Every structure is written in C-alpha cells, then in structure tokens.
C-alpha cells in the first residue's frame, strides 16, 4: 500500500471520526446543518453509526483486510453522495463544501484501495 493511500485513508478516518463525535454530542453546527437540509434530529445517531462503521472499516482495511476497506470506502462514498444530493435538493449551497470534501476523501480512499 502506497504512502499516498495511507495518508488519504488516515485523513478520511480522522474526518469521519470528528464528525461522528459532532453527531453524538449533537454539536450546534451538526443540528443546524441537518435541519437545514431536512434531516430529522432522530436520524443523527443512526447516521453517526454509519459514518463510524465506515471509519472503522477503513482502519480494518489498513490493517490488511482490503475487502473490508473497499466496502467501507464504498459505503462512505455513497453516504456523502447522498448528503450532496440532500444539499442540492434543499438548495443549501452555503455549506455544500463540507459534504463535498468528505465525498472527495471517501472516493479518493475507494479509488486508491481499488488500485492497490
């Protein structure tokens, strides 16, 4: 596995871990953004679990189980694609950079894992 792959995956894991913590503690910016795009507050714990599972799967992929890493990166890529769609549908463009960044790192992790 290349250094670039490891770096991109570690950044993806750190970013997702940080946002999972934000979901769990119900940080004001998380609640505000979710409400703005039409995501009910009750969904936040489940969304945190999905993002946390993706981050954990990437760590397992780094540890040598490449298929788990690929599946985790695929799941995160789809998750953030859905977040982007939610932003566009709600016409919330002022904060679309965040799901775009998360999507880019998830997709980058997926591409790099598939290439490895």
């Amino acid at each position: 596995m290349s250094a670039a792959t490891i770096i991109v995956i570690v950044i993806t894991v750190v970013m997702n871990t940080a946002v999972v913590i934000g979901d769990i503690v119900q940080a004001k910016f998380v609640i505000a953004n979710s409400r703005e795009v039409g995501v009910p507050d009750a969904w936040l714990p489940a969304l945190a679990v999905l993002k946390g599972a993706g981050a954990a799967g990437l760590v397992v992929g780094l540890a040598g189980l490449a298929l788990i890493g690929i599946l985790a990166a695929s799941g995160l890529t789809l998750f953030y694609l859905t977040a982007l769609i939610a932003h566009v549908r709600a016409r919330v463009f002022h904060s679309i950079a965040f799901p775009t960044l998360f999507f880019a790192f998830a997709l980058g992790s997926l591409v790099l894992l598939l290439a490895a």
Side-chain angles (χ1 to χ4, degrees), residues 1 4-13 15-16 54 58 62 66 69-74 76-77 102-116:
M1 193 174 297
T5 302
I6 293 168
I7 290 167
V8 169
I9 291 173
V10 167
I11 291 170
T12 306
V13 168
M15 289 170 50
N16 279 280
L58 287 175
L62 279 177
I70 289 168
L71 293 172
S74 298
L76 286 171
T77 300
F102 280 79
F103 173 75
F105 272 93
L107 182 60
S109 297
L110 176 59
V111 168
L112 291 168
L113 283 169
L114 287 171

